[in-house]
Amino acid sequence: MERRAAGRGKSARKTIAAPPAPEEEAAKAAPAPRVQNPSCKRPVKAKASLSEGGSRSGQAGKETAPRPKTSLEKSTPNAQKRDLAGKSDGPSPEKEELHVEAKAAVEETAKSPPRGRKASQKKCDPKAKEPDQKKASEALPPRVPPPARRSFLREVVENLKLPKRKISEASQRVNWVRTRLVNAIRKKTCFSTVEILGTGSYYEQLKINKPDEFDIMLKVPSARLQLVPENDSDYNGAHYFVILKRNPKLKQLEEFVDGEYLSASKMLSEMRTIITDEVKTIKEMKVTMERKKPGSPAVTLQIEDPTSLISVDIILALEMEGTTLWDHKVNRQDIKNWLGIHEHNKLRMQRRCLVPKNAKVEAHFKDTWRLSFSLAEKTIIKYHGNTKTCCETRGKQCCRKDCLKLLKFLLEQLKTKHNQLNKFCSYHAKTAFFHTCTMWPTDEEWQPINLEECFERLLGYFIHCLKKAELKHFFIPECNLFGPDLKCSILVKIIESERTHGFPILKSA
């Protein structure tokens, strides 16, 4: 009996030792861990437990493929410098220097802390053994301002859109008056061949707030002209005296020759007389003439609208025969890098035009003509991207035109509030926009989701030009649009104050 009991004891001890340990049972019950297999086509996701914190997620980040650079990272000043340096036929040294200075100014503007962020914000402690990744990322300043920083800019852009009903009503009134006046103007022999062209912000689809301003150009085609530069005005390379060459088709223009030169004042006065007589006969709607402004190349009308007044500028222009846009000192490479070879060649076919804009020298005006690039600017605005389908119905959208609208609206609101800024105009904003587009030419650098950053970029370049009191004409590099009568330093202080406080003038509009 004792032996049997002993035998049963041994077997019992063996039975107790036979079951596996709990760890082994858990290992058998749990699914096999997923292992990263290099030969596996389908990527295996690396999961990190909550207890491991940032160290596990950091390891997973190393195993995954590196993310591609976004458009915001591509548009950093260092990347742009590398791009400019890698091009074989890049811009001229002076233009490259301007680009570098402007980008440095934009970089300095972007360094300022976002609105609402304290300057004394604490950074993460490098001596900490295991810092939490989320807290560390919040402590460090963001590389790019978050979209929520000035998200109201998108709302401002939406409010600037013109209502379709008002556009239709205004354009019908303007077209009716335009047809009536052009028919009367063409009865005059010297203006019998004029062509009608729409220019300005409305026809460039850049008009903001209300469709209450229209620019109509009446172009005299194929005039054989010789230009004599006028060098006494503040705008070098823009104003010229005009000598009328022999042209049997335009022999009737000889009645406007004063001495040796073709008189801009006489031609504009003749057209103004015809329009004044025709306006008196219009009974269908109320149309009035504005008083002549000294040096202005336009005849301005006021058409009464049910809700507002519509201003119409009728501008006379002479098209120069045998000339192209490239006859002037235009930086062709900048346009080619931005718009591409197709639009570059399309601009090359356009002829230069002259408008009767008198040059102001000291306290009086000279009877001169000024070069006009309205048609070229309209083409650039229409095909503003470096891809052919930019902002088309089925193409990718960009925010270039939205940024220009915001800068124009900001300048307009500041002029309304500060009378000393009335000499600044929307053409200054458009010129700064052209230069900015050549420095950041790709569509990826103007994505709509990055509206805030793109507007800061355009505004930074505009401030840079104001501080230097120099804004070069896009088509006439030797011409500085910031003349001595413009108070650039005052505008800089006002814009920077508005920017520091988050542009309250835009929020209140």
Side-chain angles (χ1 to χ4, degrees):
M1 294 294 290
E2 293 177 359
R3 291 179 180 178
R4 290 179 182 178
R8 285 196 298 269
K10 290 181 180 180
S11 62
R13 285 194 297 269
K14 290 180 181 179
T15 305
I16 294 172
E23 293 81 357
E24 297 179 4
E25 288 183 355
K28 289 180 181 180
R34 301 178 67 180
V35 182
Q36 183 75 20
N37 187 0
S39 62
C40 182
K41 295 182 180 180
R42 187 174 181 179
V44 180
K45 297 183 178 180
K47 297 183 178 179
S49 63
L50 296 176
S51 61
E52 291 175 338
S55 61
R56 188 67 175 271
S57 62
Q59 184 178 359
K62 294 180 181 179
E63 294 175 356
T64 56
R67 66 178 181 85
K69 289 186 176 181
T70 62
S71 61
L72 300 182
E73 294 172 344
K74 290 180 181 178
S75 62
T76 56
N78 293 333
Q80 289 298 320
K81 291 177 183 177
R82 289 194 296 270
D83 293 342
L84 291 173
K87 296 177 182 177
S88 57
D89 53 349
S92 61
E94 295 181 357
K95 193 74 176 179
E96 185 176 359
E97 182 181 355
L98 174 63
H99 289 188
V100 173
E101 292 180 359
K103 289 186 177 182
V106 174
E107 182 181 6
E108 182 182 355
T109 304
K111 287 181 181 179
S112 60
R115 182 171 59 88
R117 182 182 296 278
K118 296 182 180 180
S120 60
Q121 189 176 12
K122 295 182 180 180
K123 297 184 179 180
C124 59
D125 186 9
K127 297 182 180 180
K129 295 181 179 179
E130 294 181 357
D132 185 67
Q133 185 179 8
K134 184 177 180 180
K135 292 182 179 180
S137 61
E138 291 179 353
L140 292 174
R143 183 185 180 116
V144 178
R149 178 187 173 192
R150 293 210 178 96
S151 58
F152 75 93
L153 290 182
R154 176 56 58 189
E155 298 179 4
V156 175
V157 172
E158 293 297 325
N159 294 333
L160 293 178
K161 291 183 178 180
L162 303 181
K164 293 184 179 180
R165 181 180 59 83
K166 291 186 177 181
I167 292 175
S168 177
E169 294 175 355
S171 60
Q172 287 179 4
R173 290 175 174 271
V174 172
N175 292 340
W176 188 90
V177 174
R178 181 193 65 186
T179 302
R180 182 84 173 257
L181 297 178
V182 171
N183 290 338
I185 292 172
R186 284 176 175 169
K187 292 179 182 179
K188 182 73 175 179
T189 306
C190 57
F191 301 130
S192 59
T193 59
V194 294
E195 299 176 0
I196 306 173
L197 298 171
T199 61
S201 59
Y202 175 80
Y203 297 98
E204 294 170 348
Q205 297 182 352
L206 292 173
K207 191 72 183 71
I208 57 178
N209 287 333
K210 298 178 181 179
D212 56 355
E213 292 182 358
F214 293 77
D215 296 332
I216 300 172
M217 178 179 286
L218 301 183
K219 184 181 68 174
V220 179
S222 302
R224 297 184 60 192
L225 308 172
Q226 178 182 346
L227 303 184
V228 179
E230 197 288 318
N231 300 320
D232 296 332
S233 67
D234 296 326
Y235 302 96
N236 296 330
H239 295 275
Y240 292 87
F241 297 102
V242 173
I243 298 176
L244 182 64
K245 293 184 177 180
R246 184 177 179 182
N247 189 349
K249 295 181 181 180
L250 297 177
K251 188 177 180 180
Q252 58 273 15
L253 294 182
E254 293 180 355
E255 64 176 290
F256 302 114
V257 175
D258 186 4
E260 184 181 2
Y261 302 123
L262 181 65
S263 174
S265 300
K266 285 185 176 182
M267 286 193 69
L268 183 60
S269 178
E270 180 66 23
M271 188 180 72
R272 186 179 182 86
T273 301
I274 298 172
I275 294 175
T276 302
D277 295 339
E278 185 63 25
V279 165
K280 294 178 181 179
T281 64
I282 297 177
K283 306 298 181 181
E284 290 79 1
M285 63 183 70
K286 187 174 181 180
V287 182
T288 57
M289 294 270 297
E290 281 192 0
R291 296 183 60 181
K292 185 179 181 302
K293 299 178 182 178
S296 174
V299 178
T300 304
L301 305 177
Q302 295 286 351
I303 302 176
E304 189 172 302
D305 188 74
T307 57
S308 63
L309 288 178
I310 303 173
S311 177
V312 182
D313 285 346
I314 302 176
I315 305 169
L316 178 67
L318 300 179
E319 182 185 60
M320 296 181 62
E321 187 181 52
T323 62
T324 65
L325 185 66
W326 299 151
D327 292 340
H328 217 76
K329 299 177 182 179
V330 181
N331 198 323
R332 308 181 193 181
Q333 191 60 40
D334 278 353
I335 298 178
K336 188 182 296 184
N337 293 339
W338 167 26
L339 301 177
I341 189 65
H342 183 266
E343 301 306 327
H344 173 274
N345 293 335
K346 185 182 294 186
L347 288 172
R348 183 181 62 183
M349 303 302 294
Q350 291 191 3
R351 295 179 177 179
R352 291 190 292 174
C353 292
L354 295 164
V355 295
K357 172 70 174 177
N358 297 151
K360 185 176 181 180
V361 180
E362 294 180 355
H364 64 280
F365 292 90
K366 287 188 175 182
D367 195 359
T368 60
W369 298 77
R370 189 189 66 185
L371 286 172
S372 173
F373 300 91
S374 298
L375 301 180
E377 292 164 1
K378 182 180 176 181
T379 301
I380 290 176
I381 293 294
K382 184 177 181 180
Y383 305 100
H384 56 267
N386 66 341
T387 57
K388 296 180 180 179
T389 58
C390 183
C391 289
E392 292 186 358
T393 304
R394 297 182 179 179
K396 291 184 178 180
Q397 302 296 310
C398 78
C399 64
R400 288 183 178 93
K401 295 173 73 171
D402 290 342
C403 291
L404 178 54
K405 288 180 180 180
L406 286 171
L407 183 57
K408 289 178 58 178
F409 184 59
L410 174 63
L411 194 59
E412 181 181 297
Q413 294 297 106
L414 293 178
K415 287 172 59 179
T416 304
K417 187 176 180 180
H418 306 278
N419 295 330
Q420 64 268 38
L421 304 178
N422 57 358
K423 294 291 182 68
F424 291 94
C425 62
S426 61
Y427 193 75
H428 295 139
K430 184 196 290 189
T431 303
F433 168 75
F434 287 154
H435 287 299
T436 307
C437 287
T438 60
M439 288 184 280
W440 286 272
T442 64
D443 297 339
E444 288 75 14
E445 294 168 322
W446 298 89
Q447 295 185 14
I449 195 174
N450 304 325
L451 175 64
E452 287 75 21
E453 184 202 357
C454 295
F455 175 66
E456 288 284 352
R457 180 189 301 158
L458 174 58
L459 184 64
Y461 177 78
F462 188 66
I463 293 175
H464 167 74
C465 295
L466 287 171
K467 289 180 178 179
K468 294 177 60 179
E470 182 182 41
L471 177 61
K472 293 185 177 180
H473 194 290
F474 189 69
F475 299 99
I476 313 175
E478 65 271 23
C479 178
N480 180 18
L481 296 179
F482 285 162
D485 55 340
L486 295 179
K487 300 179 180 180
C488 297
S489 59
I490 296 178
L491 182 55
V492 169
K493 294 179 181 179
I494 294 175
I495 292 180
E496 288 184 340
S497 176
E498 286 286 334
R499 180 178 175 275
T500 303
H501 295 86
F503 295 105
I505 197 169
L506 296 181
K507 294 180 180 180
S508 60

